[in-house]
Amino acid sequence: MANVETTLKAATTTIDGALGAALVDYGSGMALGTVGGGKDLDLAVAAAGNTDVVRAKVRTMDMLGLKDEIEDILITLGNQYHLIRLLKGRGSSGFFLYLALDRGRANLAMARHQLKSIEAELEI
């Protein structure tokens, strides 16, 4: 099992095109850890903003009566992909992994697959 720092480092070093990653508590909107980012990608702001996205989608699913789970949410920008993966493991509900990718260098299908594998090793 991997801790938060190890998990986020693995995401940013093994996933091609990774610009930054965060583990976020979507109850509070706070990032429990971040790796990468920079002046053009403030991961604390991204964590808070994407918390609103997750809450809105969960609320919409409830209103629609959908009895399913969100695996991930993809936001496609002109130059980036933003991938939000809700955690499902024991003791990890209420958290999501956020990964920002350079669209020109990333393979989205491979990034989703790798993030799922990385999530399986995470222990909160």
Side-chain angles (χ1 to χ4, degrees):
M1 292 304 222
N3 66 21
V4 173
E5 182 179 351
T6 302
T7 297
L8 296 176
K9 282 183 182 177
T12 56
T13 59
T14 63
I15 299 175
D16 289 339
L19 301 171
L23 175 66
V24 183
D25 173 350
Y26 68 82
S28 68
M30 300 296 294
L32 303 178
T34 62
V35 171
K39 72 177 186 75
D40 294 330
L41 180 62
D42 184 329
L43 292 172
V45 171
N50 285 308
T51 294
D52 292 336
V53 171
V54 171
R55 288 177 184 160
K57 188 58 189 173
V58 168
R59 190 172 49 252
T60 301
M61 288 181 63
D62 286 344
M63 290 184 328
L64 292 170
L66 297 176
K67 304 295 183 215
D68 208 345
E69 294 181 344
I70 300 169
E71 186 171 331
D72 56 37
I73 299 168
L74 171 65
I75 300 168
T76 305
L77 305 176
N79 295 315
Q80 296 177 359
Y81 294 122
H82 291 215
L83 189 57
I84 301 165
R85 180 163 184 86
L86 277 69
L87 304 185
K88 296 179 184 52
R90 187 188 64 205
S92 64
S93 64
F95 298 97
F96 66 86
L97 283 169
Y98 166 73
L99 179 66
L101 299 159
D102 179 322
R103 190 171 170 174
R105 295 185 302 133
N107 177 322
L108 183 57
M110 186 60 75
R112 289 182 69 226
H113 175 73
Q114 289 174 290
L115 196 58
K116 183 177 181 177
S117 295
I118 290 168
E119 172 201 355
E121 297 298 317
L122 175 63
E123 183 173 296
I124 299 177

